[in-house]
Amino acid sequence: MAAAGVFMNMSETKSGNQMIIEEFRENDGRVGGPFEGAPLLLLHHTGAKSGNAYVNPLMYQEVDGGWAVFASKGGHTEDPAWYANLLAHPQTSVEVGTQTFEVTAREAQGDERERIWEAQKLAYPQFAGYEQTAGREIPVIVLERR
């Protein structure tokens, strides 16, 4: 995940993500830098092909007792790997603050997607920029507690 307008190569992303994950866990779910004050969760997911376990820090929006996350990949033209992983393995978990929750992932569609996506762009305008740069509809994934 990159800050607004900042793109990182894969090795930088991995080390950057790892630093965010460590800071998140050391500070009860809070981080500084470009994500200071932003709602952030840690998404656990299983590789669609590899079966490997992964964790990604993602901005979220609270929705109906769960969380929505956005497959923006910082405005890249392709979806992030975690998106395909969730489609293949929707039963997963998230860390929010100091708690871990078992969740089921599903893709928001139609009016639900538009409502969540528009609210995200209003709250965090960089997401509108991601949409323009990506040239694709950004998938919105709802993570519902199990």
Side-chain angles (χ1 to χ4, degrees), residues 24-86:
F24 181 99
R25 289 177 173 157
E26 290 169 1
N27 295 293
D28 299 327
R30 292 183 301 275
V31 299
F35 301 107
E36 186 170 1
L40 206 64
L41 60 73
L42 300 183
L43 173 70
H44 294 253
H45 53 102
T46 302
K49 295 177 185 174
S50 70
N52 292 337
Y54 299 99
V55 178
N56 281 86
L58 299 173
M59 285 182 65
Y60 71 87
Q61 180 187 134
E62 288 189 38
V63 292
D64 302 324
W67 306 271
V69 293
F70 310 91
S72 65
K73 198 175 181 181
H76 285 264
T77 56
E78 71 276 352
D79 295 322
W82 63 257
Y83 170 69
N85 293 347
L86 288 181

Tab-separated table of all heavy atoms in Angstrom, residues 24-86:
chain	number	residue	atom	x	y	z
A	24	PHE	N	2.056	-1.131	13.778
A	24	PHE	CA	0.653	-1.366	14.126
A	24	PHE	C	0.561	-2.238	15.378
A	24	PHE	O	-0.145	-1.903	16.333
A	24	PHE	CB	-0.032	-2.053	12.932
A	24	PHE	CG	-1.492	-2.352	13.113
A	24	PHE	CD1	-2.456	-1.517	12.577
A	24	PHE	CD2	-1.920	-3.498	13.770
A	24	PHE	CE1	-3.806	-1.800	12.717
A	24	PHE	CE2	-3.265	-3.799	13.914
A	24	PHE	CZ	-4.215	-2.936	13.385
A	25	ARG	N	1.281	-3.339	15.380
A	25	ARG	CA	1.224	-4.285	16.500
A	25	ARG	C	1.878	-3.735	17.765
A	25	ARG	O	1.458	-4.057	18.869
A	25	ARG	CB	1.850	-5.615	16.084
A	25	ARG	CG	0.965	-6.360	15.083
A	25	ARG	CD	1.594	-7.630	14.608
A	25	ARG	NE	0.669	-8.400	13.774
A	25	ARG	CZ	1.058	-9.298	12.887
A	25	ARG	NH1	2.353	-9.572	12.735
A	25	ARG	NH2	0.164	-9.935	12.162
A	26	GLU	N	2.896	-2.926	17.612
A	26	GLU	CA	3.585	-2.357	18.778
A	26	GLU	C	2.815	-1.200	19.416
A	26	GLU	O	3.067	-0.841	20.559
A	26	GLU	CB	4.980	-1.861	18.371
A	26	GLU	CG	5.943	-2.982	18.039
A	26	GLU	CD	7.229	-2.493	17.385
A	26	GLU	OE1	7.402	-1.260	17.202
A	26	GLU	OE2	8.061	-3.348	17.040
A	27	ASN	N	1.873	-0.597	18.664
A	27	ASN	CA	1.193	0.615	19.115
A	27	ASN	C	-0.333	0.467	19.142
A	27	ASN	O	-1.053	1.424	18.844
A	27	ASN	CB	1.588	1.809	18.236
A	27	ASN	CG	3.051	2.144	18.379
A	27	ASN	OD1	3.496	2.581	19.424
A	27	ASN	ND2	3.810	1.906	17.314
A	28	ASP	N	-0.798	-0.727	19.467
A	28	ASP	CA	-2.234	-0.974	19.632
A	28	ASP	C	-3.056	-0.569	18.411
A	28	ASP	O	-4.142	-0.009	18.531
A	28	ASP	CB	-2.769	-0.262	20.878
A	28	ASP	CG	-2.091	-0.749	22.138
A	28	ASP	OD1	-1.718	-1.944	22.204
A	28	ASP	OD2	-1.919	0.055	23.069
A	29	GLY	N	-2.511	-0.828	17.226
A	29	GLY	CA	-3.252	-0.576	15.996
A	29	GLY	C	-3.089	0.815	15.426
A	29	GLY	O	-3.780	1.167	14.471
A	30	ARG	N	-2.166	1.589	15.972
A	30	ARG	CA	-1.937	2.938	15.456
A	30	ARG	C	-0.572	2.993	14.779
A	30	ARG	O	0.365	2.352	15.218
A	30	ARG	CB	-2.012	3.958	16.585
A	30	ARG	CG	-3.417	4.111	17.167
A	30	ARG	CD	-3.467	5.190	18.241
A	30	ARG	NE	-2.563	4.940	19.351
A	30	ARG	CZ	-2.839	4.173	20.406
A	30	ARG	NH1	-3.994	3.563	20.495
A	30	ARG	NH2	-1.958	4.021	21.378
A	31	VAL	N	-0.499	3.813	13.712
A	31	VAL	CA	0.770	4.028	13.023
A	31	VAL	C	0.939	5.515	12.743
A	31	VAL	O	-0.024	6.277	12.784
A	31	VAL	CB	0.859	3.226	11.698
A	31	VAL	CG1	0.760	1.729	11.953
A	31	VAL	CG2	-0.197	3.667	10.710
A	32	GLY	N	2.157	5.894	12.442
A	32	GLY	CA	2.455	7.281	12.102
A	32	GLY	C	2.694	7.424	10.613
A	32	GLY	O	2.234	6.618	9.816
A	33	GLY	N	3.452	8.425	10.252
A	33	GLY	CA	3.790	8.657	8.853
A	33	GLY	C	2.570	8.988	8.014
A	33	GLY	O	1.617	9.594	8.510
A	34	PRO	N	2.568	8.575	6.762
A	34	PRO	CA	1.463	8.952	5.873
A	34	PRO	C	0.114	8.354	6.274
A	34	PRO	O	-0.918	8.813	5.808
A	34	PRO	CB	1.905	8.432	4.499
A	34	PRO	CG	2.948	7.416	4.778
A	34	PRO	CD	3.577	7.781	6.087
A	35	PHE	N	0.115	7.356	7.158
A	35	PHE	CA	-1.137	6.726	7.573
A	35	PHE	C	-1.572	7.145	8.974
A	35	PHE	O	-2.522	6.588	9.520
A	35	PHE	CB	-1.008	5.199	7.489
A	35	PHE	CG	-0.680	4.740	6.108
A	35	PHE	CD1	0.589	4.272	5.814
A	35	PHE	CD2	-1.606	4.816	5.092
A	35	PHE	CE1	0.922	3.874	4.527
A	35	PHE	CE2	-1.286	4.426	3.799
A	35	PHE	CZ	-0.023	3.952	3.517
A	36	GLU	N	-0.884	8.135	9.563
A	36	GLU	CA	-1.242	8.581	10.901
A	36	GLU	C	-2.687	9.065	10.924
A	36	GLU	O	-3.109	9.863	10.085
A	36	GLU	CB	-0.314	9.701	11.357
A	36	GLU	CG	-0.560	10.109	12.794
A	36	GLU	CD	0.502	11.043	13.331
A	36	GLU	OE1	1.440	11.396	12.595
A	36	GLU	OE2	0.387	11.406	14.507
A	37	GLY	N	-3.455	8.529	11.859
A	37	GLY	CA	-4.853	8.914	12.006
A	37	GLY	C	-5.811	8.202	11.071
A	37	GLY	O	-7.021	8.301	11.233
A	38	ALA	N	-5.299	7.489	10.090
A	38	ALA	CA	-6.163	6.769	9.144
A	38	ALA	C	-6.610	5.447	9.763
A	38	ALA	O	-5.849	4.819	10.501
A	38	ALA	CB	-5.416	6.491	7.840
A	39	PRO	N	-7.832	5.024	9.484
A	39	PRO	CA	-8.275	3.721	9.982
A	39	PRO	C	-7.531	2.622	9.225
A	39	PRO	O	-7.626	2.516	8.010
A	39	PRO	CB	-9.773	3.708	9.686
A	39	PRO	CG	-9.947	4.675	8.556
A	39	PRO	CD	-8.856	5.694	8.692
A	40	LEU	N	-6.774	1.831	9.963
A	40	LEU	CA	-5.931	0.806	9.354
A	40	LEU	C	-6.206	-0.528	10.028
A	40	LEU	O	-6.376	-0.589	11.239
A	40	LEU	CB	-4.466	1.201	9.568
A	40	LEU	CG	-3.424	0.693	8.594
A	40	LEU	CD1	-3.661	1.252	7.198
A	40	LEU	CD2	-2.040	1.091	9.071
A	41	LEU	N	-6.274	-1.575	9.225
A	41	LEU	CA	-6.389	-2.934	9.754
A	41	LEU	C	-5.342	-3.794	9.088
A	41	LEU	O	-4.748	-3.404	8.077
A	41	LEU	CB	-7.804	-3.506	9.560
A	41	LEU	CG	-8.391	-3.652	8.152
A	41	LEU	CD1	-7.775	-4.785	7.338
A	41	LEU	CD2	-9.892	-3.872	8.264
A	42	LEU	N	-5.107	-4.952	9.674
A	42	LEU	CA	-4.207	-5.936	9.070
A	42	LEU	C	-5.070	-7.069	8.543
A	42	LEU	O	-5.778	-7.730	9.306
A	42	LEU	CB	-3.194	-6.459	10.090
A	42	LEU	CG	-2.272	-5.419	10.720
A	42	LEU	CD1	-1.268	-6.104	11.657
A	42	LEU	CD2	-1.545	-4.589	9.674
A	43	LEU	N	-5.006	-7.267	7.251
A	43	LEU	CA	-5.766	-8.314	6.581
A	43	LEU	C	-4.899	-9.548	6.419
A	43	LEU	O	-3.838	-9.491	5.796
A	43	LEU	CB	-6.225	-7.837	5.195
A	43	LEU	CG	-6.877	-8.892	4.313
A	43	LEU	CD1	-8.242	-9.278	4.871
A	43	LEU	CD2	-6.990	-8.384	2.878
A	44	HIS	N	-5.351	-10.656	6.991
A	44	HIS	CA	-4.691	-11.947	6.783
A	44	HIS	C	-5.367	-12.603	5.585
A	44	HIS	O	-6.590	-12.537	5.450
A	44	HIS	CB	-4.855	-12.831	8.024
A	44	HIS	CG	-4.138	-12.289	9.214
A	44	HIS	ND1	-2.990	-12.864	9.700
A	44	HIS	CD2	-4.385	-11.211	10.007
A	44	HIS	CE1	-2.570	-12.166	10.742
A	44	HIS	NE2	-3.403	-11.161	10.959
A	45	HIS	N	-4.579	-13.214	4.709
A	45	HIS	CA	-5.154	-13.894	3.555
A	45	HIS	C	-4.239	-15.017	3.110
A	45	HIS	O	-3.052	-15.033	3.431
A	45	HIS	CB	-5.468	-12.917	2.413
A	45	HIS	CG	-4.302	-12.054	2.001
A	45	HIS	ND1	-3.561	-12.299	0.884
A	45	HIS	CD2	-3.765	-10.945	2.576
A	45	HIS	CE1	-2.623	-11.365	0.764
A	45	HIS	NE2	-2.723	-10.545	1.794
A	46	THR	N	-4.834	-15.960	2.388
A	46	THR	CA	-4.115	-17.143	1.918
A	46	THR	C	-3.958	-17.056	0.411
A	46	THR	O	-4.933	-16.776	-0.307
A	46	THR	CB	-4.907	-18.416	2.288
A	46	THR	OG1	-5.075	-18.438	3.705
A	46	THR	CG2	-4.181	-19.669	1.835
A	47	GLY	N	-2.743	-17.316	-0.074
A	47	GLY	CA	-2.475	-17.249	-1.505
A	47	GLY	C	-3.394	-18.158	-2.307
A	47	GLY	O	-3.544	-19.333	-1.969
A	48	ALA	N	-4.006	-17.609	-3.355
A	48	ALA	CA	-4.941	-18.367	-4.187
A	48	ALA	C	-4.267	-19.566	-4.831
A	48	ALA	O	-4.862	-20.638	-4.935
A	48	ALA	CB	-5.540	-17.457	-5.264
A	49	LYS	N	-3.032	-19.398	-5.256
A	49	LYS	CA	-2.296	-20.485	-5.910
A	49	LYS	C	-1.287	-21.150	-4.972
A	49	LYS	O	-1.156	-22.355	-4.958
A	49	LYS	CB	-1.577	-19.952	-7.152
A	49	LYS	CG	-2.518	-19.465	-8.238
A	49	LYS	CD	-1.764	-18.893	-9.412
A	49	LYS	CE	-2.718	-18.308	-10.429
A	49	LYS	NZ	-2.012	-17.628	-11.510
A	50	SER	N	-0.585	-20.325	-4.199
A	50	SER	CA	0.509	-20.843	-3.372
A	50	SER	C	0.039	-21.482	-2.077
A	50	SER	O	0.718	-22.351	-1.537
A	50	SER	CB	1.483	-19.707	-3.031
A	50	SER	OG	0.872	-18.790	-2.117
A	51	GLY	N	-1.082	-20.989	-1.541
A	51	GLY	CA	-1.524	-21.442	-0.231
A	51	GLY	C	-0.744	-20.820	0.911
A	51	GLY	O	-0.971	-21.147	2.077
A	52	ASN	N	0.193	-19.916	0.602
A	52	ASN	CA	0.988	-19.247	1.624
A	52	ASN	C	0.144	-18.242	2.400
A	52	ASN	O	-0.809	-17.679	1.860
A	52	ASN	CB	2.173	-18.508	0.998
A	52	ASN	CG	3.194	-19.445	0.413
A	52	ASN	OD1	3.285	-20.614	0.802
A	52	ASN	ND2	3.976	-18.955	-0.537
A	53	ALA	N	0.516	-17.996	3.637
A	53	ALA	CA	-0.157	-17.012	4.480
A	53	ALA	C	0.479	-15.639	4.270
A	53	ALA	O	1.713	-15.521	4.217
A	53	ALA	CB	-0.054	-17.414	5.939
A	54	TYR	N	-0.365	-14.604	4.164
A	54	TYR	CA	0.088	-13.229	3.968
A	54	TYR	C	-0.660	-12.300	4.908
A	54	TYR	O	-1.765	-12.614	5.353
A	54	TYR	CB	-0.173	-12.769	2.530
A	54	TYR	CG	0.538	-13.587	1.488
A	54	TYR	CD1	-0.126	-14.598	0.802
A	54	TYR	CD2	1.874	-13.349	1.180
A	54	TYR	CE1	0.521	-15.356	-0.158
A	54	TYR	CE2	2.530	-14.101	0.217
A	54	TYR	CZ	1.846	-15.101	-0.449
A	54	TYR	OH	2.486	-15.842	-1.397
A	55	VAL	N	-0.070	-11.124	5.143
A	55	VAL	CA	-0.714	-10.067	5.910
A	55	VAL	C	-0.455	-8.748	5.181
A	55	VAL	O	0.677	-8.473	4.782
A	55	VAL	CB	-0.151	-9.968	7.347
A	55	VAL	CG1	-0.813	-8.830	8.115
A	55	VAL	CG2	-0.307	-11.282	8.085
A	56	ASN	N	-1.526	-7.971	5.001
A	56	ASN	CA	-1.398	-6.656	4.387
A	56	ASN	C	-2.081	-5.605	5.253
A	56	ASN	O	-3.219	-5.810	5.675
A	56	ASN	CB	-2.044	-6.615	3.000
A	56	ASN	CG	-1.188	-7.226	1.946
A	56	ASN	OD1	-1.244	-8.438	1.753
A	56	ASN	ND2	-0.397	-6.425	1.265
A	57	PRO	N	-1.410	-4.466	5.478
A	57	PRO	CA	-2.081	-3.343	6.130
A	57	PRO	C	-2.942	-2.627	5.085
A	57	PRO	O	-2.489	-2.379	3.970
A	57	PRO	CB	-0.919	-2.465	6.600
A	57	PRO	CG	0.208	-2.786	5.671
A	57	PRO	CD	0.003	-4.196	5.215
A	58	LEU	N	-4.187	-2.335	5.457
A	58	LEU	CA	-5.105	-1.670	4.538
A	58	LEU	C	-5.930	-0.629	5.270
A	58	LEU	O	-6.336	-0.846	6.421
A	58	LEU	CB	-6.076	-2.681	3.915
A	58	LEU	CG	-5.478	-3.800	3.072
A	58	LEU	CD1	-6.572	-4.798	2.699
A	58	LEU	CD2	-4.816	-3.244	1.828
A	59	MET	N	-6.217	0.468	4.590
A	59	MET	CA	-7.194	1.410	5.129
A	59	MET	C	-8.559	0.762	5.019
A	59	MET	O	-8.821	-0.008	4.093
A	59	MET	CB	-7.152	2.726	4.358
A	59	MET	CG	-5.945	3.568	4.700
A	59	MET	SD	-5.911	5.155	3.820
A	59	MET	CE	-7.348	5.970	4.518
A	60	TYR	N	-9.423	1.090	5.966
A	60	TYR	CA	-10.763	0.509	5.951
A	60	TYR	C	-11.811	1.560	6.266
A	60	TYR	O	-11.504	2.667	6.700
A	60	TYR	CB	-10.873	-0.649	6.940
A	60	TYR	CG	-10.850	-0.225	8.400
A	60	TYR	CD1	-12.022	0.136	9.059
A	60	TYR	CD2	-9.655	-0.191	9.113
A	60	TYR	CE1	-11.998	0.528	10.393
A	60	TYR	CE2	-9.633	0.190	10.443
A	60	TYR	CZ	-10.809	0.555	11.080
A	60	TYR	OH	-10.792	0.943	12.395
A	61	GLN	N	-13.048	1.141	6.052
A	61	GLN	CA	-14.218	1.932	6.423
A	61	GLN	C	-15.130	0.999	7.212
A	61	GLN	O	-15.366	-0.133	6.769
A	61	GLN	CB	-14.914	2.430	5.159
A	61	GLN	CG	-16.146	3.259	5.385
A	61	GLN	CD	-16.842	3.563	4.070
A	61	GLN	OE1	-18.054	3.426	3.995
A	61	GLN	NE2	-16.113	3.948	3.037
A	62	GLU	N	-15.607	1.441	8.361
A	62	GLU	CA	-16.544	0.614	9.123
A	62	GLU	C	-17.877	0.571	8.383
A	62	GLU	O	-18.371	1.597	7.933
A	62	GLU	CB	-16.743	1.177	10.530
A	62	GLU	CG	-15.532	0.980	11.408
A	62	GLU	CD	-15.801	1.337	12.853
A	62	GLU	OE1	-16.911	1.058	13.353
A	62	GLU	OE2	-14.880	1.894	13.464
A	63	VAL	N	-18.431	-0.645	8.269
A	63	VAL	CA	-19.733	-0.833	7.616
A	63	VAL	C	-20.509	-1.914	8.353
A	63	VAL	O	-20.031	-3.026	8.510
A	63	VAL	CB	-19.603	-1.212	6.121
A	63	VAL	CG1	-19.061	-0.061	5.295
A	63	VAL	CG2	-18.744	-2.433	5.915
A	64	ASP	N	-21.677	-1.585	8.837
A	64	ASP	CA	-22.614	-2.556	9.403
A	64	ASP	C	-21.948	-3.657	10.236
A	64	ASP	O	-22.147	-4.843	9.970
A	64	ASP	CB	-23.448	-3.189	8.287
A	64	ASP	CG	-24.213	-2.150	7.485
A	64	ASP	OD1	-24.673	-1.162	8.078
A	64	ASP	OD2	-24.340	-2.322	6.264
A	65	GLY	N	-21.154	-3.295	11.218
A	65	GLY	CA	-20.535	-4.280	12.090
A	65	GLY	C	-19.339	-4.990	11.492
A	65	GLY	O	-18.808	-5.921	12.085
A	66	GLY	N	-18.896	-4.557	10.343
A	66	GLY	CA	-17.722	-5.132	9.692
A	66	GLY	C	-16.864	-4.014	9.124
A	66	GLY	O	-16.926	-2.871	9.580
A	67	TRP	N	-16.098	-4.348	8.115
A	67	TRP	CA	-15.176	-3.392	7.534
A	67	TRP	C	-15.153	-3.550	6.021
A	67	TRP	O	-15.209	-4.659	5.498
A	67	TRP	CB	-13.759	-3.638	8.070
A	67	TRP	CG	-13.720	-3.629	9.556
A	67	TRP	CD1	-13.521	-2.546	10.364
A	67	TRP	CD2	-13.907	-4.746	10.431
A	67	TRP	NE1	-13.577	-2.928	11.679
A	67	TRP	CE2	-13.817	-4.269	11.754
A	67	TRP	CE3	-14.155	-6.099	10.225
A	67	TRP	CZ2	-13.950	-5.099	12.858
A	67	TRP	CZ3	-14.297	-6.924	11.333
A	67	TRP	CH2	-14.190	-6.425	12.632
A	68	ALA	N	-15.047	-2.425	5.317
A	68	ALA	CA	-14.849	-2.442	3.871
A	68	ALA	C	-13.402	-2.072	3.588
A	68	ALA	O	-12.850	-1.161	4.218
A	68	ALA	CB	-15.786	-1.457	3.179
A	69	VAL	N	-12.786	-2.790	2.661
A	69	VAL	CA	-11.437	-2.484	2.193
A	69	VAL	C	-11.493	-2.328	0.683
A	69	VAL	O	-12.445	-2.779	0.033
A	69	VAL	CB	-10.404	-3.551	2.625
A	69	VAL	CG1	-10.219	-3.534	4.137
A	69	VAL	CG2	-10.789	-4.934	2.145
A	70	PHE	N	-10.478	-1.712	0.124
A	70	PHE	CA	-10.526	-1.249	-1.251
A	70	PHE	C	-9.325	-1.747	-2.042
A	70	PHE	O	-8.191	-1.494	-1.667
A	70	PHE	CB	-10.583	0.286	-1.247
A	70	PHE	CG	-11.663	0.779	-0.328
A	70	PHE	CD1	-11.390	1.051	1.008
A	70	PHE	CD2	-12.959	0.897	-0.775
A	70	PHE	CE1	-12.394	1.464	1.874
A	70	PHE	CE2	-13.977	1.299	0.083
A	70	PHE	CZ	-13.696	1.581	1.411
A	71	ALA	N	-9.582	-2.449	-3.124
A	71	ALA	CA	-8.519	-3.058	-3.932
A	71	ALA	C	-7.948	-2.039	-4.918
A	71	ALA	O	-7.913	-2.263	-6.129
A	71	ALA	CB	-9.046	-4.304	-4.646
A	72	SER	N	-7.483	-0.920	-4.395
A	72	SER	CA	-6.989	0.169	-5.244
A	72	SER	C	-5.559	-0.041	-5.713
A	72	SER	O	-5.176	0.462	-6.767
A	72	SER	CB	-7.081	1.498	-4.491
A	72	SER	OG	-6.210	1.486	-3.379
A	73	LYS	N	-4.778	-0.730	-4.928
A	73	LYS	CA	-3.344	-0.937	-5.199
A	73	LYS	C	-2.662	0.391	-5.538
A	73	LYS	O	-1.834	0.469	-6.436
A	73	LYS	CB	-3.126	-1.978	-6.297
A	73	LYS	CG	-1.704	-2.533	-6.316
A	73	LYS	CD	-1.541	-3.641	-7.307
A	73	LYS	CE	-0.119	-4.187	-7.274
A	73	LYS	NZ	0.053	-5.252	-8.259
A	74	GLY	N	-3.062	1.431	-4.817
A	74	GLY	CA	-2.428	2.737	-5.000
A	74	GLY	C	-2.588	3.305	-6.392
A	74	GLY	O	-1.790	4.129	-6.816
A	75	GLY	N	-3.619	2.871	-7.133
A	75	GLY	CA	-3.865	3.391	-8.471
A	75	GLY	C	-3.254	2.583	-9.594
A	75	GLY	O	-3.308	2.999	-10.754
A	76	HIS	N	-2.706	1.433	-9.304
A	76	HIS	CA	-2.160	0.572	-10.366
A	76	HIS	C	-3.290	0.035	-11.234
A	76	HIS	O	-4.437	-0.055	-10.800
A	76	HIS	CB	-1.367	-0.598	-9.763
A	76	HIS	CG	-0.039	-0.194	-9.223
A	76	HIS	ND1	1.118	-0.308	-9.948
A	76	HIS	CD2	0.310	0.341	-8.035
A	76	HIS	CE1	2.129	0.138	-9.215
A	76	HIS	NE2	1.660	0.536	-8.047
A	77	THR	N	-2.947	-0.368	-12.438
A	77	THR	CA	-3.958	-0.853	-13.381
A	77	THR	C	-4.471	-2.246	-13.054
A	77	THR	O	-5.553	-2.617	-13.479
A	77	THR	CB	-3.414	-0.845	-14.824
A	77	THR	OG1	-2.213	-1.618	-14.861
A	77	THR	CG2	-3.133	0.580	-15.292
A	78	GLU	N	-3.708	-3.020	-12.278
A	78	GLU	CA	-4.157	-4.362	-11.915
A	78	GLU	C	-4.560	-4.402	-10.446
A	78	GLU	O	-4.127	-3.577	-9.642
A	78	GLU	CB	-3.100	-5.422	-12.202
A	78	GLU	CG	-1.894	-5.401	-11.301
A	78	GLU	CD	-0.796	-4.426	-11.694
A	78	GLU	OE1	-0.860	-3.829	-12.787
A	78	GLU	OE2	0.127	-4.239	-10.881
A	79	ASP	N	-5.397	-5.368	-10.117
A	79	ASP	CA	-5.839	-5.548	-8.734
A	79	ASP	C	-4.682	-6.054	-7.876
A	79	ASP	O	-3.793	-6.751	-8.369
A	79	ASP	CB	-6.972	-6.585	-8.672
A	79	ASP	CG	-8.237	-6.131	-9.375
A	79	ASP	OD1	-8.576	-4.936	-9.292
A	79	ASP	OD2	-8.896	-6.976	-10.014
A	80	PRO	N	-4.711	-5.756	-6.583
A	80	PRO	CA	-3.687	-6.305	-5.698
A	80	PRO	C	-3.878	-7.812	-5.523
A	80	PRO	O	-4.999	-8.332	-5.666
A	80	PRO	CB	-3.942	-5.569	-4.374
A	80	PRO	CG	-5.369	-5.152	-4.437
A	80	PRO	CD	-5.677	-4.912	-5.882
A	81	ALA	N	-2.805	-8.516	-5.212
A	81	ALA	CA	-2.868	-9.975	-5.050
A	81	ALA	C	-3.857	-10.379	-3.961
A	81	ALA	O	-4.533	-11.395	-4.082
A	81	ALA	CB	-1.479	-10.531	-4.739
A	82	TRP	N	-3.963	-9.586	-2.893
A	82	TRP	CA	-4.864	-9.964	-1.811
A	82	TRP	C	-6.307	-10.086	-2.283
A	82	TRP	O	-7.078	-10.851	-1.716
A	82	TRP	CB	-4.727	-9.055	-0.589
A	82	TRP	CG	-5.083	-7.602	-0.774
A	82	TRP	CD1	-4.210	-6.560	-0.918
A	82	TRP	CD2	-6.394	-7.024	-0.793
A	82	TRP	NE1	-4.901	-5.380	-1.045
A	82	TRP	CE2	-6.246	-5.644	-0.966
A	82	TRP	CE3	-7.683	-7.540	-0.693
A	82	TRP	CZ2	-7.323	-4.759	-1.042
A	82	TRP	CZ3	-8.770	-6.675	-0.764
A	82	TRP	CH2	-8.585	-5.299	-0.936
A	83	TYR	N	-6.686	-9.331	-3.306
A	83	TYR	CA	-8.060	-9.381	-3.824
A	83	TYR	C	-8.362	-10.781	-4.379
A	83	TYR	O	-9.353	-11.405	-4.009
A	83	TYR	CB	-8.238	-8.296	-4.886
A	83	TYR	CG	-9.515	-8.376	-5.659
A	83	TYR	CD1	-10.737	-8.097	-5.055
A	83	TYR	CD2	-9.515	-8.697	-7.016
A	83	TYR	CE1	-11.919	-8.156	-5.776
A	83	TYR	CE2	-10.685	-8.753	-7.739
A	83	TYR	CZ	-11.885	-8.483	-7.112
A	83	TYR	OH	-13.054	-8.542	-7.822
A	84	ALA	N	-7.509	-11.292	-5.249
A	84	ALA	CA	-7.701	-12.648	-5.794
A	84	ALA	C	-7.639	-13.686	-4.685
A	84	ALA	O	-8.389	-14.675	-4.703
A	84	ALA	CB	-6.650	-12.944	-6.862
A	85	ASN	N	-6.764	-13.457	-3.709
A	85	ASN	CA	-6.655	-14.395	-2.594
A	85	ASN	C	-7.961	-14.467	-1.800
A	85	ASN	O	-8.392	-15.553	-1.405
A	85	ASN	CB	-5.491	-14.001	-1.685
A	85	ASN	CG	-4.143	-14.166	-2.359
A	85	ASN	OD1	-4.028	-14.797	-3.405
A	85	ASN	ND2	-3.129	-13.576	-1.769
A	86	LEU	N	-8.593	-13.317	-1.567
A	86	LEU	CA	-9.864	-13.318	-0.834
A	86	LEU	C	-10.987	-13.964	-1.633
A	86	LEU	O	-11.854	-14.622	-1.059
A	86	LEU	CB	-10.272	-11.899	-0.439
A	86	LEU	CG	-9.465	-11.244	0.664
A	86	LEU	CD1	-10.011	-9.847	0.955
A	86	LEU	CD2	-9.447	-12.078	1.926
